[in-house]
Amino acid sequence: MLNQKKLELAYRRYSKNFEGIKFEDVEKGYLDNQNEITSIVDLNSVEKDHILLIDLDSIESYYLSKWKNDVLINREDNIEDFKKIMIVVFYQCMGQDLYKIRYPKMMLEYSFRDVIASLIHFTMFGWEKEEKILFDFIVKHFGGRLLDTNDWNKHTWFLLELYLQYRNKTIAGANQNLHITVREQFNKSNLEYDLIPKDLDIYSEVLENWATPQLDEIKTLIEKMSMFHSNLASELGESIEFGDYRYGFYPYEILFLIHVRKKIGLPVPDHFDDLLMNTPEAKMTIGDPEPYPEWDPLLRLIDNFYRKNYPDYIPNKHGELFQ
């Protein structure tokens, strides 16, 4: 049973968190790294260029803060900075691939959850070229050093499986009960799998029925998903899943379900009455397709540097991206 008052209090804390974070402080970190990035690029300091990959995190944080400030605090329907967050995650993956031999134990700046979130948002934005490149990266490194899939987030496994079914693709030879298949295969291969959920809760029911032609049925499933998400979001700061200040009240797993149903011509509800589906983040307008945002100048410097110095840099194989 959802405690509505507890949920509302959690949402207030979620929103006020970004009032308490001074944008000027985040911007200062971004500008400080600007000098470092510019210096490495200007001197073509290949021996220190792993710092460029590390500095991508400050670019991501900068746009996360800008997005939250616009959408949560100023209540603007602005998705531009959010798109840049997803793009930075893409380039964190591309950059990390360069150091798999030189720095095999280098700490990853992204998580499995981050990468799948970018994949499904690229799909929602209609960025098919970049979606395919990122999916190929996921398949190549799935469960390996560059993509730790020993992840407990049930909604992440739901999103990946729904994506696979929608795109008619497979990973580990499966696009149904993927989490179970991966647990079994990783167990046999002596790979870590203990955090991968044994069940997906409400998401299992949704995956079995997501393509139903019945509007009432999908509406009921979405209401269950919203209840599951809201209960966990109400435990802000404590819950592992949806208990974070980053995307705790952003129901992107529901929005992706709605997106894929629309794309294949299935009916979806036209309004929602609950708090979760009416947050400013949930109500952001996403175009079909969504135009690419203006490039961040520091990200452009880093991309150009890697393109120049590393022939095997994945984007070199695909020409210009995100434009």
Side-chain angles (χ1 to χ4, degrees):
M1 186 70 180
L2 179 64
N3 185 326
Q4 189 66 29
K5 184 176 181 180
K6 186 176 181 181
L7 179 68
E8 291 170 359
L9 287 172
Y11 182 68
R12 284 194 211 120
R13 286 195 291 121
Y14 176 80
S15 300
K16 286 184 177 296
N17 178 66
F18 283 90
E19 290 180 3
I21 295 175
K22 291 184 178 180
F23 177 69
E24 294 80 7
D25 293 341
V26 178
E27 186 176 39
K28 183 179 183 302
Y30 174 86
L31 294 174
D32 287 345
N33 281 337
Q34 180 179 31
N35 296 328
E36 184 174 60
I37 292 168
T38 303
S39 175
I40 291 172
V41 171
D42 287 348
L43 296 173
N44 204 41
S45 301
V46 177
E47 71 282 356
K48 297 194 298 183
D49 62 17
H50 62 285
I51 295 173
L52 298 178
L53 176 57
I54 296 170
D55 285 346
L56 282 174
D57 188 60
S58 69
I59 299 174
E60 183 183 9
S61 296
Y62 175 67
Y63 287 108
L64 175 66
S65 186
K66 284 191 69 180
W67 171 56
K68 294 286 187 176
N69 187 68
D70 287 345
V71 176
L72 275 185
I73 299 171
N74 296 329
R75 299 302 179 97
E76 299 174 1
D77 184 6
N78 186 352
I79 198 171
E80 291 305 294
D81 293 322
F82 177 77
K83 290 187 287 189
K84 293 176 185 178
I85 298 169
M86 299 295 107
I87 292 173
V88 171
V89 173
F90 174 91
Y91 279 102
Q92 286 176 323
C93 294
M94 300 301 104
Q96 195 74 53
D97 184 74
L98 296 174
Y99 299 101
K100 57 182 179 289
I101 296 175
R102 183 167 150 200
Y103 298 117
K105 296 183 179 180
M106 187 176 181
M107 183 179 295
L108 303 180
E109 300 292 333
Y110 54 82
S111 67
F112 181 52
R113 179 185 180 184
D114 295 333
V115 176
I116 300 306
S118 288
L119 177 71
I120 66 103
H121 279 97
F122 287 0
T123 308
M124 292 169 70
F125 297 158
W127 299 351
E128 293 184 4
K129 183 177 183 180
E130 293 81 8
E131 173 199 333
K132 182 181 184 305
I133 296 168
L134 187 57
F135 181 73
D136 289 345
F137 175 90
I138 292 167
V139 172
K140 180 179 179 180
H141 296 293
F142 194 82
R145 174 69 185 88
L146 299 194
L147 191 62
D148 182 5
T149 55
N150 190 28
D151 189 285
W152 55 75
N153 285 290
K154 295 181 179 183
H155 77 279
T156 300
W157 288 98
F158 161 76
L159 283 168
L160 180 55
E161 185 166 325
L162 179 57
Y163 171 84
L164 293 173
Q165 292 182 21
Y166 171 56
R167 288 301 196 205
N168 194 27
K169 297 178 182 289
T170 62
I171 285 180
N175 65 8
Q176 294 183 351
N177 297 314
L178 180 66
H179 60 295
I180 295 174
T181 298
V182 173
R183 282 182 61 92
E184 292 174 350
Q185 290 189 10
F186 282 16
N187 182 27
K188 293 177 182 177
S189 302
N190 294 318
L191 297 173
E192 292 186 1
Y193 68 93
D194 55 304
L195 298 180
I196 299 174
K198 295 179 180 178
D199 70 84
L200 297 186
D201 213 291
I202 177 57
Y203 299 127
S204 292
E205 183 180 355
V206 177
L207 286 167
E208 290 174 2
N209 300 283
W210 71 269
T212 174
Q214 302 300 319
L215 178 58
D216 287 345
E217 186 175 359
I218 201 64
K219 183 177 180 181
T220 298
L221 289 172
I222 289 175
E223 288 172 353
K224 290 181 179 180
M225 291 173 72
S226 183
M227 182 71 71
F228 178 79
H229 187 136
S230 297
N231 269 313
L232 292 170
S234 69
E235 302 289 344
L236 193 67
E238 299 177 21
S239 161
I240 292 176
E241 189 156 6
F242 302 129
D244 63 284
Y245 287 88
R246 189 181 182 90
Y247 300 136
F249 280 85
Y250 175 44
Y252 59 101
E253 78 284 13
I254 299 175
L255 298 178
F256 185 60
L257 171 63
I258 292 171
H259 170 81
V260 299
R261 284 183 59 85
K262 283 183 177 179
K263 294 299 284 187
I264 61 175
L266 293 172
V268 296
D270 57 7
H271 73 279
F272 302 94
D273 298 322
D274 58 306
L275 184 153
L276 180 68
M277 293 301 293
N278 285 283
T279 64
E281 291 165 308
K283 302 288 281 185
M284 289 189 304
T285 302
I286 298 178
D288 185 16
E290 185 65 34
Y292 294 115
E294 182 179 346
W295 269 74
D296 172 81
L298 299 186
L299 180 58
R300 177 68 84 183
L301 282 176
I302 294 171
D303 181 47
N304 286 342
F305 178 95
Y306 283 146
R307 284 178 181 269
K308 171 186 172 183
N309 288 286
Y310 294 93
D312 292 336
Y313 179 52
I314 294 172
N316 272 337
K317 304 171 186 177
H318 301 280
E320 296 297 328
L321 300 176
F322 299 103
Q323 61 182 35

